[in-house]
Amino acid sequence: MTTSQVPEASTCAPTPPVGQLPRPKEMTQMLDVSSLVDADGGLIERSIYNDERIYKQEMARIFARSWLFLAHRSQFKKPGDFFTTYMGEDPIIVTMDKKKNIRAYLNSCRHRGVRVCRADAGSTKMFTCTYHGWAYNLDGELQTIPNQQAYPDDWNPKDWGLVEVPNVQEYKGLIFGNWDADAMSLSDSLGDDMKYYLDAFIDRDPEGTEVLGGVMKWTLDGNWKLAAEQFATDWYHVNMSHASALMVLSPTGKGPKPEIASTPGRQFTSEHGHGAGFPTHPKSRFDAQTVHEYYDYDFLRERLGDDRVEGPMTTGHATIFPSFSYLPVNGSIRIWHPKGPNKMEVWAWVLVDKSMPEDVKNAQRLYNLRTFGPSGIFEADDGENWSEIQAISEGFITNNTSLNFQMGIGNEHEDGTYPGTTSELYSDAAGRGFYRQWTKLMNTPAWHETKTRPAADKEEN
Amino acid sequence: MAEYINVGSVDEIDEGDAIVVDKEQTGAEDDIAIFHAEDGNFYALNDTCTHETASLADGWIEGTEVECPVHSAKFCLKAGTALCMPATIDAKTHKVEVVDGEVHLYPSVPATQA
């Protein structure tokens, strides 16, 4: 299996994503965040989790230019199938057009801005605004509007198509979008090392993966980065936060044995901010029994290699920068949608191998719900911690006190077995990498700040 | 008896689906949509919605009604009656007969004269 690219989007929607009416500079003032993050020294200033200006800057400089997970390929079977989601806080329609290309549009009418699709998912021929009836086809073109004769003679509906996400690419069923038409490709952004870890989860089955059922959605008090960073870097919390869950799941009821609790393992940190960690002790795994018994481990060792089967294949965690995370152990893939600095919405799918028999798929689904569904015994522990951090962040002294990301400083290296830069499993290395990338993007003007704005072009012509 | 056009066999239009016969071919004022309704029968209406530009053949067939895919106006497939806003004008019907498994369209002959 190789990286498959969704065909280049056509240019039917000529509207660029920003800038017909340029904003005054004072409205788009950016902050220099370099003093808020000391990635090498492992210190984080707490205001990055609750400051409104930081949050707005993240929308402009992180979410408007990074590869953001949109949907899984298996959610689209025929033209007109659609799924609505968000890129940052921008509402997005993902749909399959008549040529079976996956396209993504801003879910906002060009007339008065209402969402033109209010459903979570479904199948349609047309996206029609409920306010005045502007109707867009699957190519995002404005097909018809009521009372068009009242507009000027030279008024052209072609100029008023839905704003299209210019860059949509796929990696093994995972579809990502990027507002930056010139962004580094998804494949390069993941890099060979992140793909190595990701493939341990999504490339076990030559047939690929599919999502089961719909999306589980819940809201949490807490900044989106608290969750994204934890899934990138944090095995440290497992024995403490999840103590009761580990006891419940262990055969003795007393929790894992000392050698498993203090398991060896590796944590990967990518130069693009991604992170993944996994134990390597052969008994440090808590996958569902039915799933474990289904797998042909000889086949998997052949396909993925011994190191991957003994490491990132089973138990572990990962974040693809900025806001897509996954857990191989129960097939959870999720987005941390930002909803203001203090709130996030978690969207989680159950991902399974296509070839699994129905009963194995169902076992994985139930195991997913039990552990990391909205009321899962692990999920609830994590959400509680994130909300607790957020709850006190308005305190002046609290918020001025830096947080510690110093575990494992200096032990990042290439170990000759697992690709890329790795450290011990118990480490903040990927957290430091996550915030290094965050700082870099926050301090670098994005495409929409550096390109000539179309309104200015028009004046010149 | 008026002239008909054989638009194909019944197997070629799935139930709940519709085809469009071009006005070039029929000489009628508009393209004609032929619907295979959920009662098993075939009906034909002018394809263009009477409200705004939209193809009714692209619409949703429910029972013996079609819902326009653009603004959700509904029409009776049997009589062409506009059943709800925003449509206020009835759609024109055309007579359809099924003979020996073949669908015969009588362009511009109202269905009621069947």
Side-chain angles (χ1 to χ4, degrees):
Chain A
M1 228 184 258
T2 55
T3 309
S4 69
Q5 204 128 322
V6 176
E8 200 76 13
S10 82
T11 50
C12 80
T15 309
V18 288
Q20 274 163 309
L21 298 172
R23 288 182 169 177
K25 271 200 186 106
E26 293 73 19
M27 264 181 86
T28 55
Q29 212 97 57
M30 297 290 177
L31 298 166
D32 176 358
V33 302
S34 50
S35 63
L36 301 177
V37 172
D38 176 4
D40 295 333
L43 291 175
I44 299 286
E45 224 277 347
R46 246 178 117 148
S47 60
I48 69 164
Y49 298 110
N50 74 329
D51 186 276
E52 278 283 349
R53 286 161 304 172
I54 295 279
Y55 181 77
K56 281 201 157 52
Q57 190 161 327
E58 286 177 337
M59 293 300 116
R61 287 194 170 169
I62 307 274
F63 289 92
R65 60 132 63 115
S66 295
W67 286 106
L68 304 176
F69 181 72
L70 297 177
H72 191 270
R73 165 63 69 167
S74 59
Q75 291 177 263
F76 309 91
K77 294 190 168 62
K78 56 181 194 306
D81 286 354
F82 68 84
F83 173 69
T84 54
T85 181
Y86 293 87
M87 292 172 73
E89 288 217 46
D90 289 313
I92 301 292
I93 301 169
V94 190
T95 189
M96 180 181 268
D97 71 12
K98 287 190 169 167
K99 291 176 186 152
K100 295 206 159 190
N101 295 321
I102 301 295
R103 309 273 290 266
Y105 306 104
L106 188 68
N107 188 4
S108 176
C109 184
R110 293 295 308 284
H111 177 230
R112 290 289 196 276
V114 169
R115 272 182 276 185
V116 297
C117 182
R118 308 272 194 103
D120 293 340
S123 188
T124 192
K125 309 246 163 100
M126 201 72 71
F127 299 104
T128 303
C129 181
T130 52
Y131 195 0
H132 301 89
W134 283 31
Y136 304 86
N137 63 25
L138 299 180
D139 290 324
E141 294 165 334
L142 182 58
Q143 175 146 325
T144 175
I145 68 166
N147 207 35
Q148 190 182 325
Q149 67 272 15
Y151 286 80
D153 289 341
D154 61 353
W155 190 85
N156 188 354
K158 289 250 181 268
D159 296 335
W160 295 92
L162 291 176
V163 174
E164 182 160 12
V165 180
N167 219 339
V168 175
Q169 293 179 19
E170 177 178 341
Y171 181 71
K172 296 186 182 179
L174 305 177
I175 298 165
F176 290 76
N178 193 322
W179 284 113
D180 184 354
D182 302 318
M184 170 191 286
S185 73
L186 173 65
S187 177
D188 289 347
S189 166
L190 292 171
D192 288 343
D193 37 22
M194 187 64 223
K195 285 184 199 164
Y196 169 93
Y197 299 104
L198 180 57
D199 285 355
F201 171 36
I202 65 170
D203 200 17
R204 302 168 189 168
D205 180 358
E207 298 299 309
T209 55
E210 65 183 17
V211 292
L212 286 186
V215 190
M216 296 173 276
K217 303 175 181 177
W218 64 96
T219 55
L220 286 175
D221 289 335
N223 183 271
W224 67 274
K225 294 188 293 299
L226 296 170
E229 140 214 315
Q230 194 224 59
F231 272 63
T233 201
D234 198 331
W235 194 260
Y236 189 29
H237 76 287
V238 171
N239 292 324
M240 184 71 196
S241 288
H242 302 307
S244 61
L246 291 172
M247 287 169 72
V248 166
L249 286 190
S250 75
T252 59
K254 290 179 183 167
K257 292 184 176 147
E259 64 271 26
I260 300 169
S262 60
T263 176
R266 301 302 294 167
Q267 185 180 111
F268 160 71
T269 174
S270 146
E271 59 176 327
H272 299 134
H274 320 308
F278 50 89
T280 50
H281 189 284
K283 288 195 173 162
S284 181
R285 36 154 283 259
F286 47 98
D287 45 351
Q289 192 172 350
T290 313
V291 178
H292 183 69
E293 286 167 0
Y294 158 75
Y295 276 122
D296 174 350
Y297 281 86
D298 291 335
F299 170 80
L300 289 169
R301 280 174 183 277
E302 180 104 355
R303 183 173 178 80
L304 301 170
D306 292 340
D307 298 326
R308 263 199 285 202
V309 171
E310 290 160 17
M313 197 201 101
T314 309
T315 306
H317 56 81
T319 290
I320 292 172
F321 186 92
S323 55
F324 176 73
S325 298
Y326 66 82
L327 297 169
V329 72
N330 53 31
S332 183
I333 58 172
R334 68 253 314 277
I335 310 174
W336 317 104
H337 282 310
K339 297 287 174 191
N342 301 307
K343 197 170 267 212
M344 70 179 112
E345 211 167 283
V346 189
W347 286 27
W349 289 255
V350 183
L351 189 75
V352 294
D353 292 351
K354 264 191 195 155
S355 302
M356 281 178 174
E358 285 307 310
D359 63 313
V360 179
K361 285 178 183 169
N362 199 42
Q364 185 71 317
R365 184 181 68 81
L366 292 174
Y367 187 69
N368 180 295
L369 294 179
R370 195 175 301 137
T371 52
F372 280 90
S375 62
I377 55 176
F378 289 82
E379 191 76 48
D381 298 334
D382 291 328
E384 174 62 20
N385 286 325
W386 302 329
S387 298
E388 164 58 22
I389 296 168
Q390 204 71 28
I392 53 170
S393 57
E394 289 300 325
F396 175 76
I397 303 297
T398 313
N399 206 242
N400 269 281
T401 307
S402 304
L403 302 180
N404 181 302
F405 281 71
Q406 296 175 329
M407 187 163 39
I409 281 186
N411 76 16
E412 298 98 329
H413 63 282
E414 300 211 10
D415 73 353
T417 303
Y418 291 103
T421 302
T422 59
S423 69
E424 298 302 320
L425 173 62
Y426 290 105
S427 164
D428 291 323
R432 292 189 291 273
F434 180 92
Y435 286 112
R436 196 173 282 118
Q437 172 74 356
W438 182 87
T439 306
K440 184 178 148 195
L441 294 185
M442 287 288 274
N443 275 356
T444 310
W447 59 273
H448 51 82
E449 298 169 78
T450 53
K451 278 192 179 158
T452 317
R453 289 170 182 273
D457 286 347
K458 268 181 203 159
E459 279 161 24
E460 280 162 21
N461 292 340
Chain B
M1 182 137 177
E3 300 249 331
Y4 66 82
I5 297 172
N6 186 337
V7 296
S9 78
V10 292
D11 306 333
E12 287 167 41
I13 312 172
D14 291 336
E15 194 172 296
D17 223 339
I19 59 163
V20 180
V21 185
D22 199 286
K23 60 186 173 194
E24 301 275 308
Q25 198 187 339
T26 62
E29 59 176 353
D30 186 20
D31 294 344
I32 296 174
I34 300 177
F35 305 90
H36 189 169
E38 289 175 345
D39 66 354
N41 292 322
F42 290 79
Y43 302 99
L45 300 178
N46 272 5
D47 186 46
T48 308
C49 181
T50 63
H51 167 238
E52 293 290 343
T53 311
S55 163
L56 291 179
D58 274 345
W60 310 99
I61 298 168
E62 282 177 17
T64 55
E65 296 173 4
V66 63
E67 181 183 312
C68 176
V70 178
H71 298 109
S72 305
K74 284 186 188 174
F75 297 90
C76 170
L77 291 173
K78 294 179 177 177
T81 318
L83 298 171
C84 71
M85 283 287 284
T88 50
I89 302 166
D90 295 346
K92 270 197 185 147
T93 61
H94 304 268
K95 178 180 161 183
V96 180
E97 275 184 351
V98 175
V99 180
D100 297 331
E102 299 291 311
V103 181
H104 295 176
L105 168 69
Y106 294 79
S108 304
V109 178
T112 45
Q113 287 180 16

